[in-house]
């Protein structure tokens, strides 16, 4: 990331030369996907910037520093040919990720003037007031709409809203805006915006965060996209605007999609054909495929034709509806189903070559010792690779509240779509286990179990509908007795293994497989270097040790330091999307959970004092 040159506050020493040296803000590659992706705001020292888009004309990502990565299953799902890592280089002369100054409105704490950055006439390479020589302060407030657009807070309209001519006088009075704090409190009412035109209007920022505050001024979204610069001019949007703090998490939330590399795509042999698979899929006959490859590679195809045909057959089997009107979420579920099947069956011995990125084997011990616990089929995932792609981003709306958030991606000019998306790849190890289908089926039929899950599903569906609003169809809540049970089980196992496996809880992650024909969970560690494959987690998957861990984790979950409130509460979590779950018992760091710590219920594991039978593992508590 390369902001403009260094800015330094004047220290009072006369005659000191101004050093306009290049300055860089450092972030990790993973943060460029999960925290500071395209369109997000980032603070560097006293300044604020927005991460530039991916438009080729803007060259915001230097492709020499952004290696290609391939994961065919995920690329096919997201409609791209490949992915690219965020740019990174140890050479200070290289660009890295580029940013633009945003917001442009700044204030001077000395003279209180509030205006655009350039109007302060700052010396070259310094973000200071040209008159006062004091560091400028970027605007604390921005506006956004649910379509992902972002803009400057309309200070002129806000301060003139109560004048005789209303907001129409904004930008026409000829006065200068000023911002000061009364110092009475940290509340918005203490932030005063004024204009020196006469009669002198003045207004505090109190009320600016109301849902209809800007709508009442007649303001709607103009479709501004400052991260794209001039390459994509604003187009009238018309959606309601909301005021946000510049550092609010609602300003930018990533929509991440991920996939495990599984055979036959996990050895990297298919990568040279990455940009040709979509075309190859259109051919039905072996002869047509062979003729195309001969023309594309001048007779030197990097893969034998038999392997190409086998890969095409595997692709059609996994995703027969690709390119049709099948909903995205259905195709994403098909990707998970294929992973579940591969985790159940593991690899054949012949597949364990040096380049294989997925190695999954049954444990050497007797898995029968887990049957009394209601667990079956543990598998040791000794090697795995996960690709996490930044599919889109949202503002204001929750990433899970829309069925298709692709409309909010806005990574580049829509008239020039890119054939790739930003992504990161992580390597690690894990343990996969399943629940006994017969026992699980009987447990799910319990009226009390179904009633608890339905309470969470109803609350979660209401939240999704509220966040989706009137513009989009709300996604269906995934809450079922099976899903909540697997989710809570994964959380208590991560807590237990963080003590035994040598990894902190934040370094472990869950991947749930909950559906009509799936009842499994993969707990894995995945990092961007080799530290994710140290063997400490795989060792926990041996049946004897796994059984001991399960018993210990379930008994630990029986009691919470917040009981009886935690267990007996009618609702918990945001808007009642949890039941018996809190930070003292089953909640995890955000990096570990697929569902942001919602849809958790400890009672479905261990039961309640009044009804111990609703706990799937209740028999372990009473042993």
């Amino acid at each position: 990331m390369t902001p403009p040159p260094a800015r330094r506050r004047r220290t009072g020493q006369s005659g000191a030369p101004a050093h306009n040296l290049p300055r860089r803000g450092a972030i990790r590659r993973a943060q460029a996907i999960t925290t500071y992706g395209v369109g997000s705001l980032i603070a560097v020292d006293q300044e604020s910037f927005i991460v530039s888009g991916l438009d080729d004309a803007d060259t915001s990502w230097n492709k020499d520093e952004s290696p290609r990565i391939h994961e065919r299953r995920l690329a096919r799902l997201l409609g791209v040919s490949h992915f690219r890592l965020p740019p990174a280089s140890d050479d200070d002369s290289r660009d890295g990720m580029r940013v633009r100054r945003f917001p442009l409105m700044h204030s001077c704490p000395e003279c209180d003037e509030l205006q655009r950055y350039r109007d302060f006439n700052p010396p070259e390479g310094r973000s200071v007031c040209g008159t006062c020589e004091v560091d400028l302060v970027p605007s604390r407030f921005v506006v956004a709409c649910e379509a992902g657009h972002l803009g400057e807070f309309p200070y002129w309209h806000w301060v003139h809203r109560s004048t005789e001519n209303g907001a129409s006088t904004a930008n026409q009075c000829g006065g200068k805006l000023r911002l000061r704090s009364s110092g009475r409190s940290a509340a918005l009412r203490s932030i005063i915006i004024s204009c020196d035109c006469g009669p002198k209007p003045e207004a505090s920022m109190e009320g600016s965060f109301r849902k209809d505050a800007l709508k009442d001024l007649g303001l709607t979204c103009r479709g501004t996209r400052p991260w794209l610069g001039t390459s994509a001019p604003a187009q009238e949007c018309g959606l309601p605007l909301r005021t946000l703090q510049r550092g609010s998490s609602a300003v930018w939330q990533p929509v991440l999609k991920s996939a495990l590399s599984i055979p036959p795509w996990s050895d990297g042999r298919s990568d040279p054909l990455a940009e040709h698979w979509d075309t190859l899929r259109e051919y039905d006959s072996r002869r047509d495929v062979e003729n195309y490859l001969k023309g594309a590679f001048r007779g030197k195809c990097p893969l034998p034709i038999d392997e190409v045909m086998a890969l095409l057959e595997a692709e059609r089997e996994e995703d027969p509806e690709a390119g049709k009107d099948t909903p995205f979420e259905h195709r994403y579920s098909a990707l998970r189903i294929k992973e579940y099947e591969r985790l159940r069956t593991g690899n054949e011995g012949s597949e364990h070559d040096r380049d294989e990125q997925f190695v999954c084997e049954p444990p050497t011990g007797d898995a029968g010792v887990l049957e009394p616990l209601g667990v079956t089929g543990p598998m040791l995932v000794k090697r795995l690779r996960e690709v996490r792609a930044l599919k889109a981003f949202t503002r204001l709306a929750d990433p899970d509240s829309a069925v298709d958030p692709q409309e909010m991606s806005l990574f580049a000019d829509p008239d020039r779509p890119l054939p790739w998306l930003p992504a990161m790849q992580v390597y690690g190890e894990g343990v996969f286990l399943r629940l006994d289908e017969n026992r699980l089926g009987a447990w799910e039929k319990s009226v009390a179990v179904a009633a608890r899950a339905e309470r969470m599903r109803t609350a979660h569906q209401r939240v999704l509908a509220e966040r989706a609003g009137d513009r989009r169809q709300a996604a269906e809540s995934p809450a079922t007795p099976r899903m909540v049970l697997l989710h809570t089980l994964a959380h208590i196992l991560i807590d237990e293994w963080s003590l035994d496996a040598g990894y902190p809880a934040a370094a472990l992650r869950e991947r749930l497989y909950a559906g009509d024909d799936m009842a499994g969970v993969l707990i894995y560690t995945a990092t961007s270097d080799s530290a994710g494959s140290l063997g400490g987690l795989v060792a926990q998957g041996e049946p004897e040790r796994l059984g001991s861990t399960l018993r210990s984790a379930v008994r630990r979950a029986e009691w919470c330091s917040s009981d009886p409130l935690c267990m007996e509460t009618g609702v918990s979590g945001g808007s009642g999307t949890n039941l018996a779950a809190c930070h003292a018992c089953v909640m995890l760091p955000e990096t570990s959970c697929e569902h942001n710590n919602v849809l958790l219920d400890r009672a479905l594991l261990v039961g309640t004092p009044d009804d111990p039978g609703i706990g799937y593992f209740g028999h372990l508590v009473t042993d």
Side-chain angles (χ1 to χ4, degrees):
M1 181 183 63
T2 308
R7 285 115 173 130
R8 300 182 179 182
R9 184 168 182 167
R10 191 176 66 173
T11 62
Q13 296 178 352
S14 61
H19 297 285
N20 298 330
L21 300 177
R23 174 176 51 77
R24 294 171 180 266
I27 62 172
R28 298 189 299 274
R29 257 183 169 157
Q31 289 179 303
I33 301 297
T34 60
T35 311
Y36 300 118
V38 172
S40 67
L41 296 182
I42 180 170
V44 181
D45 296 334
Q46 305 294 327
E47 302 172 74
S48 175
F49 302 93
I50 190 167
V51 179
S52 295
L54 303 178
D55 197 326
D56 284 335
D58 184 59
T59 63
S60 62
W61 280 32
N62 189 328
K63 293 184 179 180
D64 294 336
E65 304 173 35
S66 305
R68 289 191 181 195
I69 58 175
H70 300 280
E71 171 44 54
R72 173 56 189 166
R73 298 168 64 246
L74 188 60
R76 180 183 67 242
L77 180 71
L78 300 181
V80 296
S81 63
H82 62 282
F83 304 100
R84 286 188 180 274
L85 294 173
S89 175
D90 294 331
D91 185 354
D92 287 343
S93 65
R94 308 299 290 271
D95 281 340
M97 290 173 55
R98 292 189 178 182
V99 298
R100 290 184 168 89
R101 187 179 298 280
F102 186 86
L104 296 180
M105 293 296 289
H106 284 61
S107 62
C108 172
E110 187 74 21
C111 62
D112 295 336
E113 289 193 2
L114 173 65
Q115 56 190 356
R116 287 181 171 266
Y117 173 81
R118 66 173 180 267
D119 294 333
F120 282 100
N121 296 316
E124 183 179 357
R126 301 174 65 198
S127 181
V128 298
C129 177
T131 303
C132 306
E133 288 287 329
V134 173
D135 286 339
L136 296 175
V137 179
S139 169
R140 282 177 52 188
F141 310 104
V142 296
V143 295
C145 78
E146 290 193 355
H149 302 125
L150 190 68
E152 305 275 353
F153 182 82
Y155 289 104
W156 281 99
H157 292 79
W158 184 253
V159 76
H160 290 89
R161 69 188 189 278
S162 59
T163 60
E164 182 179 352
N165 294 326
S168 62
T169 63
N171 292 322
Q172 300 174 11
C173 67
K176 284 191 175 183
L177 291 178
R178 298 186 183 276
L179 180 151
R180 73 178 192 277
S181 175
S182 68
R184 296 174 183 174
S185 70
L188 290 174
R189 70 171 65 95
S190 296
I191 302 175
I192 309 299
I193 311 297
S194 62
C195 181
D196 61 10
C197 65
K200 185 177 181 181
E202 185 174 277
S204 76
M205 290 297 295
E206 186 175 21
S208 60
F209 281 76
R210 285 190 302 108
K211 184 175 182 180
D212 295 329
L214 300 180
K215 180 180 178 181
D216 293 343
L217 298 181
L219 300 177
T220 57
C221 180
R222 298 173 57 192
T224 54
R225 294 172 286 180
W227 62 96
L228 296 182
T230 58
S231 64
Q235 298 177 350
E236 194 66 28
C237 172
L239 287 178
L241 287 170
R242 292 289 300 273
T243 304
L244 296 171
Q245 291 266 19
R246 173 165 49 89
S248 169
S249 61
V251 171
W252 189 88
Q253 296 187 66
V255 178
L256 299 173
K257 297 299 178 182
S258 66
L260 300 181
S261 296
I262 60 173
W265 304 95
S266 54
D267 60 4
R269 289 172 55 81
S270 62
D271 293 351
L273 275 65
E275 297 182 358
H276 301 276
W277 288 114
D278 289 335
T279 303
L280 289 170
R281 189 183 171 107
E282 299 175 1
Y283 296 117
D284 294 326
S285 70
R286 180 188 179 100
R287 175 175 295 179
D288 290 340
V289 171
E290 192 169 9
N291 289 337
Y292 172 82
L293 292 174
K294 286 181 178 179
F297 292 94
R298 299 179 181 180
K300 297 180 180 180
C301 180
L303 278 183
I305 187 63
D306 290 339
E307 290 191 30
V308 174
M309 297 305 296
L311 289 169
L312 284 173
E313 182 179 354
E315 180 169 315
R316 293 188 180 107
E317 178 185 353
E318 178 174 337
D319 192 8
E321 302 297 324
K324 299 183 180 180
D325 295 331
T326 306
F328 175 85
E329 291 302 324
H330 290 183
R331 297 180 59 207
Y332 192 51
S333 296
L335 180 146
R336 286 287 181 107
I337 291 172
K338 204 65 179 180
E339 290 178 6
Y340 180 75
E341 293 174 355
R342 176 57 71 171
L343 288 165
R344 286 187 61 175
T345 58
N347 293 59
E348 298 177 2
S350 60
E351 293 178 298
H352 294 183
D353 58 32
R354 184 185 63 181
D355 297 324
E356 179 59 50
Q357 297 167 337
F358 181 85
V359 177
C360 180
E361 300 174 344
T364 56
D366 180 14
V369 301
L370 297 173
E371 292 180 4
L373 306 181
V375 173
T376 185
M379 298 292 283
L380 309 181
V381 187
K382 298 182 176 180
R383 194 185 307 165
L384 66 81
R385 172 182 179 258
E386 180 191 23
V387 175
R388 301 174 192 166
L390 181 58
K391 176 179 184 285
F393 65 81
T394 67
R395 305 194 198 276
L396 298 173
D398 185 86
D400 296 327
S401 64
V403 174
D404 187 11
Q406 182 63 41
E407 63 186 71
M408 301 179 205
S409 61
L410 303 174
F411 288 151
D413 187 343
D415 295 332
R416 296 190 293 271
L418 296 174
W420 57 276
L421 285 174
M424 57 181 292
Q425 57 183 352
V426 292
Y427 298 90
E429 60 181 0
V431 174
F432 174 75
L433 57 88
R434 294 180 289 123
L435 299 183
D436 182 270
E437 286 284 356
N438 294 329
R439 182 171 178 175
L440 182 62
W443 174 81
E444 288 176 314
K445 294 177 182 177
S446 168
V447 175
V449 168
R452 289 187 73 90
E454 180 61 23
R455 286 165 60 187
M456 284 184 284
R457 192 203 69 78
T458 301
H460 192 224
Q461 193 64 57
R462 182 177 63 251
V463 172
L464 293 178
E466 290 174 354
R467 291 173 175 171
D470 298 331
R471 292 186 61 248
R472 302 183 304 278
Q473 178 185 357
E476 288 293 325
S477 171
T480 63
R482 179 177 301 210
M483 181 268 172
V484 175
L485 173 64
L486 286 167
H487 191 197
T488 313
L489 172 63
H491 278 226
I492 66 169
L493 283 176
I494 288 176
D495 270 335
E496 197 72 20
W497 279 337
S498 69
L499 302 175
D500 295 339
Y503 293 99
L508 301 178
R509 186 173 173 86
E510 67 181 6
R511 193 169 180 87
L512 304 180
Y513 299 90
D516 295 337
D517 300 317
M518 299 190 296
V521 59
L522 171 67
I523 298 175
Y524 63 102
T525 173
T527 66
S528 55
D529 56 29
S530 59
S533 304
L534 300 178
L537 187 59
V538 165
Q540 306 299 317
E542 289 295 335
E544 289 288 346
R545 180 172 288 186
L546 181 57
S548 176
T549 299
L550 273 170
R551 289 184 176 90
S552 175
V554 168
R555 286 171 178 158
R556 192 189 302 270
E558 181 186 9
W559 182 85
C560 171
S561 60
S562 296
D563 280 340
L565 180 63
C566 178
M567 180 59 76
E568 296 178 3
T569 186
V571 293
S572 179
S575 303
T577 50
N578 289 331
L579 291 182
C582 71
H583 286 285
C585 52
V586 298
M587 287 191 177
L588 292 175
E590 292 182 359
T591 55
S592 302
C593 181
E594 281 194 306
H595 295 281
N596 298 314
N597 276 325
V598 302
L599 306 179
L600 295 164
D601 184 14
R602 189 163 46 96
L604 294 186
L605 289 176
V606 299
T608 66
D610 296 333
D611 189 1
I614 65 172
Y616 183 85
F617 295 103
H619 61 291
L620 299 182
V621 176
T622 58
D623 283 351

